[in-house]
Amino acid sequence: MSLADAVAHLTPEHWERADRLLVRKALAEFTHERLLTPEREPDGESYVVRSDDGTTEYRFTATVRSLDHWQVAADSITRHRHGAELPLSALDFFVELKQTLGLSDEVLPVYLEEISSTLSGTCYKLTKPRVTSAELARSDDFQAVETGMTEGHPCFVANNGRLGFGVHEYLSYAPETASPVRLVWLAAHRSRAAFTAGVGIEYESFVRDELGEGTVDRFHGVLRGRGLDPADYFLIPVHPWQWWNKLTVTFAAEVARGHLVCLGEGDDEYLAQQSIRTFFNASHPGKHYVKTALSVLNMGFMRGLSAAYMEATPAINDWLAQLIEGDPVLKGTGLSIIRERAAVGYRHLEYERATDRYSPYRKMLAALWRESPVPSLRDGETLATMASLVHVDHEGASFAGALIERSGLAPAEWLRHYLRAYYVPLLHSFYAYDLVYMPHGENVILVLEDGVVRRAVYKDIAEEIAVMDPDAVLPPEVSRIAVDVPDDKKLLSIFTDVFDCFFRFLAANLAEEGIVAENVFWRTVAEVTREYQESVPELAEKFERYDMFAPEFALSCLNRLQLRDNRQMVDLSDPSGALQLIGTLKNPIAGL
């Protein structure tokens, strides 16, 4: 690829469109989070937002829906100063509204870089062949759906920062580019590395199953060629970016001393998933996903992977799988998890002595293997990331709407199937076990049959689940998932993560298309909630204590976290204490 080809997607036309789409999202989400307060224009149909100094105006039309969701019409937005119309510019927008948005002098330039990266990614997506939602809904190709997503996280405005990637690395490793990736493999000396696995998994046979006999023998040959004994080492898969940009420099001493030995690339080709550091094995879809450490800044965190955290990962997954298997309600919904079956981590002892346990320097070299959902499919079943439900194509058609059409079901009936598969397990886990997940669109895979959601698969378990009862009796190796959360914040795990951060967008898209009216959407959610509660009367006291039908709930603001500190937006030692709670939202199922 030539130097010019690498930036061929950065054209005036694409940038203008990307600017408009991002300003639209900023106006919508910052208004939702009450950072902006649009004023209604005298015509009664449009709104205006003014810059910090009052000289620049953004005018637009919008529909305000449930949960204070602002559906801003992208093509209606205009920018004015002193009576003259100016072109839209996302970068100018953040500079002009810096004080209103609470962007400090330190955060602003880094945030602008994340916005620039997000815009660049949008430009690339605008060059891709236009695939309609209807075509995606008819596709049986799991990865075609995964790589066809164009928006990223629906709430975050700067949601494709990926600071650290150059454009050539973006083209090689971003999920939307669908470029095959071969992982780099290192041998890590056992004096500084640990391999842990779930029940029934043994290191040597596991690695040979994953890599193939020939590759393992080749790697062992590299070690023997250097006079080293393969039995003294664990094999660790590494993101190519991490090897070239971090480990060769930051871990140079480990390489020089032979604690780490580069063995070369593996033979299998992988595809990056929406989470960017997780890879699907495209050569052998039934084999495990591989999740790697990736020290790029994206959506408020350095995306490393803790070697210390990895040690308990398989045990936590086995515990949850056993809980689901033994619970008739969860089992009855069809819920499953794809377990993180094995993990390997490397400890750099000098950096450990120099840092606390949350430091990015402790998260540069670790990996885990997660089950693939492909072998669990029955005849006629297909897979799609749940994030796809809020995908909208270039014609304004949603993937969810396309699935409803393909199913032939009445929209509310389709919705009921989806809610029973995805939402009911979240309710039951909360009320029966004080157990919560991080159930956003990228962390859930839906199993479909002719467009109908049959069951849900939860993933990203060990780093994301929590039991919100510090006195819960858990096996010692699982104890770290017990957390102390104030009673009044516990239900935010559903109200924020499910209602506000996912259903809000799904309901708005389906209403905009005229497929499901908002009141029908939320009435269906209310009915499924009551149906679940009536099925487990023994939990009545918990239902009363934590009321899903409460009139309102606290508005928890994600962008405010990122705008305040885009390098680490949550204090990992006190995640609930770091929440930005601003006022309340009316509960859309209250009184239904």
Side-chain angles (χ1 to χ4, degrees), residues 128-401:
K128 293 179 71 175
R130 291 183 158 189
V131 179
T132 65
S133 288
E135 289 173 298
L136 277 180
R138 289 193 298 270
S139 171
D140 293 337
D141 185 346
F142 177 30
Q143 291 305 293
V145 175
E146 182 77 21
T147 59
M149 300 301 94
T150 56
E151 179 48 47
H153 197 292
C155 297
F156 285 102
V157 175
N159 65 9
N160 281 306
R162 301 162 181 172
L163 298 191
F165 277 5
V167 69
H168 58 304
E169 292 156 333
Y170 169 84
L171 295 171
S172 298
Y173 306 131
E176 58 267 23
T177 66
S179 300
V181 177
R182 291 180 191 267
L183 299 178
V184 174
W185 286 82
L186 304 183
H189 198 272
R190 294 189 182 209
S191 63
R192 296 191 172 206
F195 175 88
T196 53
V199 176
I201 290 180
E202 181 270 327
Y203 170 75
E204 192 69 34
S205 59
F206 179 80
V207 167
R208 287 186 179 274
D209 285 345
E210 280 299 301
L211 281 166
E213 296 279 353
T215 305
V216 172
D217 290 344
R218 185 172 88 242
F219 288 166
H220 285 177
V222 173
L223 291 170
R224 291 192 185 98
R226 293 184 52 168
L228 302 171
D229 184 352
D232 292 338
Y233 290 83
F234 289 122
L235 302 186
I236 299 186
V238 174
H239 195 296
W241 185 95
Q242 193 77 351
W243 169 249
W244 288 113
N245 293 277
K246 285 294 174 186
L247 302 181
T248 53
V249 177
T250 312
F251 281 48
E254 307 302 281
V255 176
R257 293 168 182 156
H259 293 145
L260 291 175
V261 180
C262 184
L263 305 171
E265 293 182 343
D267 295 330
D268 287 352
E269 292 189 334
Y270 290 83
L271 287 173
Q273 302 298 279
Q274 287 291 310
S275 60
I276 205 165
R277 58 184 169 153
T278 301
F279 290 97
F280 177 84
N281 192 321
S283 299
H284 299 94
K287 287 187 179 182
H288 290 74
Y289 289 91
V290 179
K291 184 174 182 178
T292 59
L294 183 63
S295 300
V296 300
L297 186 69
N298 195 43
M299 282 201 322
F301 288 106
M302 193 69 77
R303 296 290 160 173
L305 209 55
S306 164
Y309 251 55
M310 289 305 97
E311 291 190 29
T313 287
I316 292 169
N317 280 261
D318 283 349
W319 172 82
L320 181 58
Q322 196 171 14
L323 184 149
I324 292 169
E325 185 65 28
D327 186 285
V329 176
L330 297 176
K331 190 90 170 145
T333 65
L335 176 70
S336 63
I337 62 169
I338 42 178
R339 290 173 295 174
E340 290 144 2
R341 298 292 281 141
V344 61
Y346 185 87
R347 298 176 60 192
H348 192 301
L349 302 182
E350 292 77 10
Y351 286 126
E352 284 195 7
R353 285 203 295 271
T355 60
D356 68 28
R357 66 193 178 106
Y358 300 110
S359 169
Y361 284 95
R362 295 194 184 198
K363 301 177 182 180
M364 288 190 181
L365 184 50
L368 64 80
W369 287 269
R370 178 186 294 142
E371 291 171 318
S372 167
V374 173
S376 71
L377 292 180
R378 305 175 191 121
D379 286 348
E381 290 183 336
T382 59
L383 299 166
T385 176
M386 194 178 81
S388 62
L389 292 190
V390 294
H391 169 72
V392 176
D393 68 16
H394 57 282
E395 296 175 349
S398 72
F399 183 72

Side-chain angles (χ1 to χ4, degrees), residues 445-463:
I445 297 170
L446 301 177
V447 179
L448 306 166
E449 185 177 18
D450 296 325
V452 182
V453 179
R454 293 301 183 197
R455 50 197 172 90
V457 181
Y458 294 173
K459 67 182 183 73
D460 219 353
I461 300 301
E463 285 194 288

Side-chain angles (χ1 to χ4, degrees), residues 10 16 31 45 47 78 81-82 132 160 194 212 214 221 255 277 285 313 339-340 385 418 422 474 573 588:
L10 298 178
E16 185 180 339
T31 300
E45 294 180 2
Y47 297 86
T78 55
R81 188 182 299 143
H82 304 309
T132 65
N160 281 306
V255 176
R277 58 184 169 153
T313 287
R339 290 173 295 174
E340 290 144 2
T385 176
Y418 162 63
Y422 162 66
L474 299 169
S573 64

Side-chain angles (χ1 to χ4, degrees), residues 4-127:
D5 287 343
V7 292
H9 58 290
L10 298 178
T11 67
E13 297 78 19
H14 289 148
W15 194 264
E16 185 180 339
R17 187 63 188 164
D19 261 334
R20 180 168 293 277
L21 293 173
L22 195 133
V23 170
R24 181 213 67 77
K25 187 170 187 179
L27 288 168
E29 288 306 300
F30 293 156
T31 300
H32 174 72
E33 295 192 10
R34 299 168 190 176
L35 285 157
L36 303 179
T37 308
E39 297 172 25
R40 195 184 286 272
E41 293 271 67
D43 63 13
E45 294 180 2
S46 53
Y47 297 86
V48 62
V49 165
R50 291 181 177 84
S51 61
D52 292 339
D53 64 8
T55 63
T56 306
E57 295 182 341
Y58 291 85
R59 298 175 191 155
F60 57 92
T61 60
T63 302
V64 184
R65 300 192 180 277
S66 297
L67 291 172
D68 203 17
H69 179 72
W70 284 66
Q71 204 153 21
V72 175
D75 292 332
S76 73
I77 305 167
T78 55
R79 176 180 173 224
H80 307 265
R81 188 182 299 143
H82 304 309
E85 185 169 343
L86 303 173
L88 287 185
S89 163
L91 297 177
D92 284 343
F93 177 90
F94 292 100
V95 174
E96 290 165 359
L97 287 140
K98 170 190 164 186
Q99 292 173 335
T100 302
L101 299 176
L103 282 160
S104 68
D105 290 342
E106 182 185 8
V107 169
L108 178 60
V110 184
Y111 191 76
L112 290 179
E113 190 177 358
E114 291 188 271
I115 290 294
S116 297
S117 177
T118 300
L119 290 166
S120 178
T122 302
C123 288
Y124 176 82
K125 292 166 193 171
L126 290 170
T127 69

